């Protein structure tokens, strides 16, 4: 099991749902952000993430997009306030879409700290919204 799969399972608990596409998406975003140094705003779900996940899972981009969206929404619905603080770092009311959940989990998987904590206290420089944080 990958680190991303364990992370998603820690949120959802035991489930029969196929979380592999979501775990792949989190891993791909992690590589794009922290290995290839691509800014958050330049990463596109339909261009960068869904095709790569579809290739790994041998499914269509549409099927992958639906499955990732459902799993992202299920992760959000399954989180209590403590988990939101643990993984996101802020008590937010709602996510705008599965993209947000993928980025929150990618940051947590890479840094082992919540997204908003990393934005406030970056451990080293990285690019967010085309602004390099040092």
């Amino acid at each position: 099991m990958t680190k991303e799969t364990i992370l998603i399972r820690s949120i959802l608990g035991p489930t029969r749902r196929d979380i592999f596409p979501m775990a792949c998406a989190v891993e791909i975003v992690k590589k794009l952000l922290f290995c290839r140094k691509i800014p958050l705003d330049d990463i596109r779900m339909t261009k960068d993430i869904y095709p790569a996940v579809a290739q790994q899972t041998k499914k269509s981009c549409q099927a992958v997009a639906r499955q990732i969206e459902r799993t992202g929404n299920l992760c959000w619905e399954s989180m209590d306030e403590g988990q939101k603080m643990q993984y996101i770092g802020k008590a937010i009311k709602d996510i705008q879409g599965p993209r947000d959940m993928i980025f929150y989990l990618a940051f947590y998987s890479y840094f082992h700290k919540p997204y908003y904590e990393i934005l406030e206290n970056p451990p080293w420089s990285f690019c967010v919204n085309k602004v390099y944080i040092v």
Side-chain angles (χ1 to χ4, degrees):
M1 238 190 302
T2 66
K3 186 187 327 184
E4 291 77 19
T5 304
I6 293 168
L7 177 60
I8 295 167
R9 290 239 182 257
S10 72
I11 295 168
L12 296 179
T15 181
R16 294 179 56 114
R17 179 177 297 273
D18 180 14
I19 62 166
F20 184 67
M22 181 71 164
C24 286
V26 171
E27 185 178 355
I28 289 165
V29 166
K30 210 166 67 167
K31 287 177 184 174
L32 292 173
L33 284 171
F34 307 116
C35 294
R36 295 187 52 205
K37 308 289 187 202
I38 298 175
L40 279 168
D41 285 348
D42 291 347
I43 297 174
R44 302 286 175 241
M45 297 296 287
T46 55
K47 180 181 149 213
D48 301 316
I49 299 171
Y50 294 153
V53 174
Q55 185 178 18
Q56 287 184 18
T57 60
K58 301 193 182 358
K59 296 180 181 181
S60 71
C61 283
Q62 290 176 332
V64 163
R66 284 191 309 268
Q67 198 163 17
I68 289 172
E69 183 175 345
R70 288 179 186 136
T71 306
N73 289 335
L74 184 61
C75 283
W76 175 253
E77 292 165 4
S78 298
M79 284 184 172
D80 59 22
E81 292 302 315
Q83 287 177 313
K84 288 177 186 173
M85 290 302 293
Q86 179 184 354
Y87 298 117
I88 300 170
K90 196 178 197 179
I92 56 176
K93 300 268 187 226
D94 199 9
I95 57 173
Q96 294 178 5
R99 181 180 199 275
D100 290 350
M101 185 58 65
I102 291 168
F103 282 97
Y104 295 149
L105 295 179
F107 269 75
Y108 189 84
S109 177
Y110 189 78
F111 292 110
H112 302 288
K113 292 183 179 180
Y115 176 80
Y116 285 104
E117 184 178 323
I118 296 299
L119 291 185
E120 292 170 6
N121 305 308
W124 56 81
S125 66
F126 63 94
C127 187
V128 176
N129 298 332
K130 298 187 182 181
V131 174
Y132 282 90
I133 298 175
V134 181

